[in-house]
C-alpha cells in the first residue's frame, strides 16, 4: 500500500550500516573508496550506481533528495548549497545562448537580478508577465522561449498564481515549466500535479524551518534532472553532507510544523483584518483574498506568510517596526521564530517605486513570516506595535 506523506517523511531512510543505527548517520566524507581497479573503472564509466565523490553524490544528499521526490511526486532530483544555487544551476543547465525565459514578474529578488543583470551576459533574455494576466502570456511567447518560470504564493505580496492554467499553456507551447515552490513547501502544494516539469526549493526556508542551514533542491522528470545533474557535478554547487543530514531530519517534522505555521498565520490574518490601523491584509486562505478559490484548489493551507499595510505609509510602517518587541526583524522566512520585514526599505529597496508598484509593494506594507510561538503572543506583539 502506498504510504502517506507524513509516513514517508519519517520512514524514508538509507540502508543501515554494520552498526544498525536507528537514525541516519552523517557521512562527512569527500570521497568514497573502490574495491579494485575494475570497480573503479566501472564506477567512473557509470556502469554501476554508487558514490564516487561528494560533489556528485553523497548518502545524506541522496536521502534528502529521495524524501523530497516522494513529497513532490518527482522522479529524481539534485540538492544544492542554497536555493539560488538551485535556481541558477537548473536554468544554466537547460538554457542555451539565444534562449528566452517567460517569467512571472513577482519572483524572488535575487532571481529577478539573475534574469535582469546576469543572464543577458550569455544572451539569455526574458519577458515578465503579471500573474493576473495569464490570458496575455501567449503573446509573449517567441520561437526562442524555452522555459516558463513562476512562484506561488508570491513574495512579498502573497498573491496566488493558477498553476493548472499555467500548466496548460506550458504544455500547449511545449515549454519547460519550472515552479519555485519554496513559499508553499511540498506539504501544501505539489506543482507537478498541475503540469510543472521541475520544482525548485530553497531548503533554507520551511524545509529546515529552524533558521540553521542554507540549502536548495530541484526535483522533477528524470531526463531534465539528468541534464541538471550533468551540469552541476561539473560546476560544483553541491549541498554539504552536514546540511543534507540536518534537512533530512527536518523533513520528518515538516507536516507538523507547517500545519501550525498555517494555523497561526490564519489567526493573525483574521486579527489584522478586523483592525482599524490596517488598510488591507493578504493571506491566501482569507475569504477576502482575490484568489481564494484558486488557493483552495491547489494548496492544503495558506502558508506561513501574511502581508498587510499599516495606515499612514512609510512613517507609520517604520514606527511599527521600531515598536515590535517579540518578533524578529530579519530577512529569513519559514523559521520557527516569527519574522517581520519591511520590503520597501529592505529587500525591495533597489527597485524603483514603479517596479515596486508592479510587484504590489507599497510603502506601508509589512510581511510577517508567522512562526511557532504561541499565537496569542504573536498577536499581542503585533497589536501593541500597531498601537
Ligand atoms: C529564499 C528564497 C530563494 C533563495 O534561496 P536561498 O537559500 O536564500 O539561496 C529562492 N526563492 C524563494 C521564493 C525564496 O524565498
Amino acid at each position: 500500500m502506498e504510504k502517506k506523506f507524513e509516513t514517508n517523511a519519517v520512514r524514508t531512510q538509507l540502508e543501515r550500516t554494520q552498526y544498525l543505527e536507528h537514525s541516519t548517520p552523517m557521512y562527512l566524507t569527500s570521497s568514497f573508496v573502490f574495491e579494485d581497479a575494475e570497480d573503479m573503472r566501472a564506477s567512473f564509466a557509470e556502469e554501476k550506481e554508487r558514490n564516487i565523490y561528494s560533489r556528485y553524490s553523497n548518502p545524506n544528499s541522496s536521502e534528502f533528495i529521495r524524501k523530497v521526490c516522494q513529497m513532490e511526486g518527482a522522479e529524481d532530483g539534485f540538492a544544492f548549497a542554497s536555493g539560488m544555487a538551485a535556481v541558477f544551476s537548473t536554468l544554466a543547465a537547460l538554457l542555451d545562448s539565444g534562449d528566452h525565459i517567460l517569467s512571472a514578474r513577482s519572483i524572488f529578488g535575487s532571481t529577478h537580478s539573475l534574469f535582469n543583470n546576469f543572464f543577458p551576459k550569455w544572451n539569455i533574455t526574458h519577458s515578465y508577465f503579471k500573474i493576473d494576466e495569464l490570458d496575455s502570456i501567449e503573446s509573449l511567447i517567441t520561437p526562442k522561449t524555452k522555459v516558463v518560470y513562476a512562484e506561488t504564493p508570491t513574495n512579498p505580496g502573497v498573491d496566488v498564481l493558477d498553476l493548472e492554467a499555467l500548466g496548460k499553456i506550458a504544455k500547449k507551447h511545449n515549454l519547460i515549466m519550472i515552479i519555485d515552490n519554496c513559499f508553499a513547501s511540498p506539504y501544501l502544494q505539489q506543482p507537478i500535479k498541475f503540469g510543472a516539469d521541475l520544482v525548485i526549493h530553497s531548503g533554507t526556508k520551511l524545509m529546515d524551518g529552524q533558521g540553521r542551514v542554507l540549502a536548495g533542491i530541484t526535483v522533477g522528470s528524470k531526463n531534465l534532472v539528468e541534464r541538471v545533474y550533468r551540469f552541476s557535478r561539473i560546476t560544483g554547487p553541491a549541498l554539504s553532507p552536514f546540511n543534507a543530514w540536518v534537512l533530512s531530519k527536518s523533513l520528518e517534522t515538516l507536516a507538523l510544523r507547517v500545519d501550525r505555521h498555517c494555523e497561526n498565520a490564519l489567526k493573525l490574518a483574521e486579527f489584522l483584518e478586523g483592525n482599524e490601523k490596517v488598510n488591507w491584509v493578504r493571506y491566501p486562505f482569507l475569504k477576502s483574498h482575490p484568489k481564494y478559490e484558486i488557493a483552495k484548489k491547489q494548496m492544503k493551507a495558506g502558508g506561513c506568510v501574511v502581508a498587510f499595510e499599516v495606515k499612514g505609509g512609510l512613517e507609520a510602517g517604520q514606527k511599527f517596526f521600531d515598536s515590535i518587541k517579540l518578533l524578529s526583524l530579519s530577512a529569513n522566512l519559514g523559521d520557527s521564530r516569527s519574522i517581520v520585514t519591511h520590503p520597501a526599505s529592505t529587500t525591495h529597496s533597489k527597485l524603483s517605486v514603479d517596479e515596486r508598484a508592479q510587484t504590489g509593494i507599497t510603502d506601508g506594507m509589512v510581511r510577517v513570516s508567522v512562526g511557532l510561538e504561541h499565537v496569542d503572543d504573536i498577536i499581542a506583539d503585533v497589536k501593541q506595535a500597531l498601537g
Side-chain angles (χ1 to χ4, degrees):
M1 205 179 84
E2 215 167 279
K3 303 273 193 309
K4 301 270 201 259
F5 185 97
E6 290 83 348
T7 311
N8 283 328
V10 170
R11 286 285 166 184
T12 300
Q13 201 162 352
L14 298 166
E15 304 288 297
R16 294 206 163 93
T17 70
Q18 57 175 313
Y19 299 110
L20 302 179
E21 67 284 343
H22 194 193
S23 179
T24 305
M26 235 184 273
Y27 293 89
L28 292 183
T29 178
S30 37
S31 67
F32 301 82
V33 292
F34 305 94
E35 301 285 339
D36 50 34
E38 169 52 22
D39 181 31
M40 194 159 183
R41 184 207 60 79
S43 300
F44 273 86
E46 297 183 50
E47 287 164 18
K48 38 173 106 171
E49 214 172 292
R50 52 109 74 217
N51 295 301
I52 297 174
Y53 190 59
S54 286
R55 167 149 48 81
Y56 309 170
S57 69
N58 171 282
N60 292 120
S61 293
S62 300
E63 185 180 280
F64 170 54
I65 293 165
R66 204 184 300 170
K67 282 189 185 179
V68 177
C69 284
Q70 282 175 346
M71 291 174 166
E72 290 284 6
E75 292 170 350
D76 206 354
F78 190 80
F80 297 90
S82 72
M84 283 317 300
V87 172
F88 172 73
S89 306
T90 301
L91 290 166
L94 299 177
L95 296 172
D96 296 312
S97 174
D99 284 345
H100 175 252
I101 306 167
L102 184 56
S103 171
R105 187 180 291 275
S106 321
I107 50 171
F108 186 67
S110 297
T111 307
H112 203 270
S113 300
L114 177 65
F115 293 177
N116 286 350
N117 306 334
F118 295 98
F119 274 165
K121 288 208 300 186
W122 299 294
N123 194 26
I124 293 169
T125 57
H126 63 272
S127 305
Y128 289 127
F129 63 87
K130 284 192 176 168
I131 68 172
D132 283 335
E133 297 167 5
L134 290 188
D135 293 346
S136 66
I137 281 192
E138 291 183 287
S139 66
L140 299 172
I141 297 173
T142 78
K144 288 293 192 182
T145 308
K146 197 180 261 178
V147 161
V148 58
Y149 187 93
E151 297 172 13
T152 179
T154 64
N155 179 25
V158 204
D159 201 352
V160 173
L161 172 140
D162 187 337
L163 286 171
E164 191 179 7
L166 190 68
K168 285 189 180 140
I169 296 168
K171 185 151 197 210
K172 180 174 162 199
H173 295 273
N174 206 16
L175 305 177
I176 301 170
M177 174 165 156
I178 304 179
I179 300 296
D180 178 337
N181 198 29
C182 146
F183 253 57
S185 88
Y187 177 59
L188 298 180
Q189 168 177 288
Q190 295 98 34
I192 290 172
K193 278 189 200 156
F194 301 103
D197 299 290
L198 291 173
V199 174
I200 296 180
H201 282 280
S202 164
T204 317
K205 313 295 168 55
L206 284 165
M207 281 189 177
D208 173 36
Q210 288 142 92
R212 300 167 296 185
V213 297
L214 289 175
I217 186 164
T218 297
V219 300
S221 71
K222 203 163 183 62
N223 65 336
L224 291 175
V225 169
E226 171 71 13
R227 288 164 65 191
V228 173
Y229 167 71
R230 290 288 148 209
F231 179 81
S232 304
R233 76 176 237 167
I234 297 303
T235 51
L239 181 62
S240 90
F242 175 78
N243 287 2
W245 179 85
V246 170
L247 278 156
S248 188
K249 269 284 163 206
S250 295
L251 289 180
E252 294 185 10
T253 55
L254 182 74
L256 267 179
R257 289 184 286 105
V258 174
D259 271 339
R260 181 61 66 84
H261 277 290
C262 295
E263 209 181 291
N264 286 356
L266 183 59
K267 283 184 187 156
L268 176 68
E270 284 168 352
F271 160 78
L272 289 166
E273 197 158 49
N275 193 288
E276 58 180 19
K277 305 253 166 61
V278 170
N279 272 335
W280 51 258
V281 187
R282 223 168 297 134
Y283 183 68
F285 269 44
L286 272 185
K287 286 215 176 67
S288 60
H289 194 290
K291 309 287 178 53
Y292 174 74
E293 293 301 331
I294 296 171
K296 281 269 179 183
K297 180 179 76 174
Q298 65 194 29
M299 297 175 78
K300 192 182 167 83
C304 66
V305 178
V306 178
F308 66 98
E309 188 181 61
V310 184
K311 276 187 188 158
L314 198 59
E315 207 180 316
Q318 277 165 347
K319 200 153 182 210
F320 171 82
F321 283 93
D322 285 337
S323 311
I324 280 286
K325 293 198 176 98
L326 176 74
L327 276 49
S328 311
L329 308 184
S330 181
N332 200 9
L333 67 96
D335 193 323
S336 52
R337 298 160 188 234
S338 296
I339 291 169
V340 283
T341 49
H342 184 221
S345 71
T346 59
T347 49
H348 292 72
S349 61
K350 289 195 189 70
L351 271 62
S352 67
V353 174
D354 197 38
E355 281 179 308
R356 278 209 290 274
Q358 298 222 30
T359 41
I361 299 164
T362 60
D363 283 349
M365 178 178 172
V366 176
R367 188 195 81 181
V368 188
S369 167
V370 182
L372 302 178
E373 303 93 341
H374 195 287
V375 68
D376 292 352
D377 293 326
I378 298 171
I379 290 176
D381 194 34
V382 170
K383 189 176 177 184
Q384 66 78 25
L386 282 170

